[in-house]
Amino acid sequence: MKIAVMSDIHGNLPALEAVLDVIRKRNIDKLICLGDIIGKGPSSNEVIDICRKECDIVVKGNWDDAIVRASRKEDVSFPLGERTRWYINSITPERMEYLGSLPHSTEFYLCGKLVRLFHAHPANYNRYFSHSSIEQRRELFDYSDFSQEKKTADIAIYADIHSAYFQTVEGKHLINVGSVGNPLDTTQASFIILEGYEGEASFGVQFMRTAYDVERGIEMAKEANVPDLDGYISELRTANYFRRG
C-alpha cells in the first residue's frame, strides 16, 4: 500500500499540477490532502475541482474553515476585510459548500499502527512546530471529538506550518508533510509517500520534493490581482515567511 499525503496547496495550480504528475508515476494507491487548498494564490476554484477528482480524502484546513465561516457571517478569527472578501467572492457557492463539508481529520491502520491525519491539531487549529514544547507535541497524538478511534495515535501526520519534518516523540512518530503551494523551507513543492504492507510490522516514509514553475504561478497571481500580492510573490520566490503588517 502506497499512500501519498499532500497539503497547503493555497490556490497554486502550477505547484499542484507538478506534484500530481510525480504522484501518477509512483503507482500510488491512495491520495490524501490535509487541507488549505484555497487562499493566498489565484486558483482556488480550479484546485478545489482537482482535489475533489484526484483525492480519496480531503480534510479541512484553517483557511478552508475560516473562509467558509466568514462567508456564512459566523464569528471567526479572520476579519471580514478586503482580503477575506476577495477569496469569498472568488469561490463559487457550490464549491464553498464542498469546503464546508470537509471532515476535520481522518485515520486508518498501517502495519498495525494507528495513523491519524489532520491539518494542524486533532482538536482545533493550534499551530505547533518541530521545536514546540514536548507537551504541545504530545497533543498531536491525542484523540478528539473528531476522531474515529478514541485512542492516541501511533503516527500523527499534519501540515499547516509549511515546513516538512519527521520526529520520534516518546516512541511515536510525528510527521509534517510540508506545503505544495506555499512551502516555507524550500521553494520546491513538498509532499510525502507512506508505504506499508499487510502482515508486515514496518512502514516507510518518503519525503518528496518537486520543482514547479514558480514564475508561472506568480504571473497567474498578478493577472488575478490577488490580495497581498507582494507578500505572496516573496514567499514563492524565497520560501521565507513574509511578515505582514
Side-chain angles (χ1 to χ4, degrees), residues 21-32:
D21 185 56
V22 174
I23 286 173
R24 292 185 185 112
K25 297 173 183 175
R26 294 296 190 280
N27 297 316
I28 297 299
D29 299 296
K30 183 178 288 188
L31 174 58
I32 299 173

Side-chain angles (χ1 to χ4, degrees), residues 130-194:
S130 61
H131 56 270
S132 293
S133 71
I134 188 66
E135 291 80 14
Q136 290 175 323
R137 283 177 286 146
R138 278 194 199 115
E139 288 181 28
L140 298 175
F141 297 96
D142 288 345
Y143 59 87
S144 74
D145 291 341
F146 299 108
S147 305
Q148 300 163 35
E149 297 259 4
K150 303 306 181 186
K151 58 184 289 189
T152 58
D154 302 300
I155 304 169
I157 302 177
Y158 78 115
D160 185 55
I161 61 173
H162 298 206
S163 297
Y165 73 88
F166 178 101
Q167 286 184 354
T168 299
V169 180
E170 298 176 335
K172 297 176 180 290
H173 303 300
L174 181 60
I175 299 168
N176 192 289
V177 304
S179 171
V180 169
N182 188 216
L184 297 177
D185 50 4
T186 171
T187 56
Q188 294 184 316
S190 174
F191 66 101
I192 69 165
I193 297 174
L194 287 175

